[in-house]
Amino acid sequence: MNRRDSLKAIGLGTLSTSLFLGGCKPGDKKVETAADAKTAAVPGRQPYEVERENKLLAEKYFDEHEMATITMLADIIIPKDAHSGSASDAKVPEFIEFIVKDIPSHKLPMRGGLKWLDIQCLNRYGNTFIKCNSTQKTQILDEIAYPAKAKPEMAQGVAFFNRLRDLTASGFWSSEMGTKDIGYAGNTPNKWQGVPADVLKQYGMENVKV
């Protein structure tokens, strides 16, 4: 599966999960603390937006085992290659943890899907997904990664993997590593080098001096 090329086409909205720094509350001593940073004003953001984001960042939804499974699956979807790092290198698992708290409709499908995957692996191989060997992991994922080929009884797994794949792609290509991976420069200044030579030649102006 050429994951990077196919996943770059997935068009999900992206969120910034950055933490922000700021000042103190009125009347407090002007000593910057972690608490101050959480309540600080952020350019372009309303205080309630910053407060809500920091509240979500402070909460935990997935347990340790669930996060380990998400990390392993995300790295299977977007592995490290010669061009850039893996999904976990780009903090995609943390992105997914944030998104399910920010959009609660993801919570039950994600947790249920992780449980479904472990039950399937326990029934087949006697181990949870993260403890299966590489061949076993490939076998189970091949049954849910291709919706057009999947059997009806694997529908729940297909729906889960589709959601996870979308979130992984969204998280990776909205990260600093991901934007570099696709060569996105953003609003960066450049230096005008004049009209390209091939354009001047096209209009018969290659010998015109300005």
Side-chain angles (χ1 to χ4, degrees):
M1 184 191 302
N2 191 339
R3 296 184 182 88
R4 288 180 184 273
D5 290 341
S6 60
L7 289 170
K8 285 176 185 177
I10 295 178
L12 290 179
T14 59
L15 293 172
S16 170
T17 58
S18 301
L19 290 172
F20 303 99
L21 297 177
C24 303
K25 297 179 181 178
D28 290 345
K29 294 181 180 180
K30 294 185 178 180
V31 178
E32 189 174 279
T33 66
D36 295 332
K38 290 184 178 180
T39 58
V42 178
R45 303 288 302 281
Q46 294 295 319
Y48 74 87
E49 294 177 311
V50 178
E51 182 180 359
R52 180 176 182 276
E53 182 170 306
N54 283 313
K55 181 176 181 293
L56 292 176
L57 288 169
E59 295 173 355
K60 291 294 292 181
Y61 179 67
F62 294 118
D63 62 31
E64 185 176 341
H65 174 76
E66 290 169 332
M67 283 300 292
T69 306
I70 289 171
T71 299
M72 185 171 290
L73 287 167
D75 280 347
I76 289 172
I77 293 169
I78 302 181
K80 183 176 182 179
D81 63 11
H83 190 52
S84 65
S86 66
S88 62
D89 291 331
K91 306 298 182 184
V92 169
E94 291 86 345
F95 170 87
I96 293 174
E97 162 77 12
F98 180 87
I99 287 294
V100 299
K101 295 179 295 187
D102 188 47
I103 308 175
S105 59
H106 285 306
K107 285 186 173 182
L108 185 59
M110 283 294 294
R111 174 158 281 165
L114 291 167
K115 186 69 66 176
W116 179 93
L117 183 61
D118 273 346
I119 291 173
Q120 288 288 321
C121 290
L122 283 166
N123 289 338
R124 296 185 188 200
Y125 313 119
N127 278 316
T128 58
F129 179 78
I130 60 175
K131 293 183 179 180
C132 289
N133 61 46
S134 58
T135 299
Q136 293 167 341
K137 289 171 187 170
T138 299
Q139 286 175 345
I140 186 67
L141 293 182
D142 278 349
E143 294 186 38
I144 61 177
Y146 307 97
K149 299 179 180 179
K151 297 178 181 178
E153 59 268 27
M154 305 300 284
Q156 185 179 349
V158 171
F160 162 69
F161 196 76
N162 282 346
R163 186 183 297 264
L164 178 67
R165 181 165 44 205
D166 288 349
L167 291 174
T168 299
S170 181
F172 184 81
W173 276 290
S174 64
S175 70
E176 181 180 357
M177 181 181 294
T179 54
K180 289 180 179 178
D181 185 270
I182 60 175
Y184 176 70
N187 296 323
T188 55
N190 56 25
K191 184 177 180 180
W192 171 246
Q193 300 292 338
V195 180
D198 58 333
V199 175
L200 290 173
K201 185 175 181 179
Q202 179 182 350
Y203 291 96
M205 301 179 67
E206 64 269 31
N207 296 319
V208 175
K209 293 184 179 181
V210 179

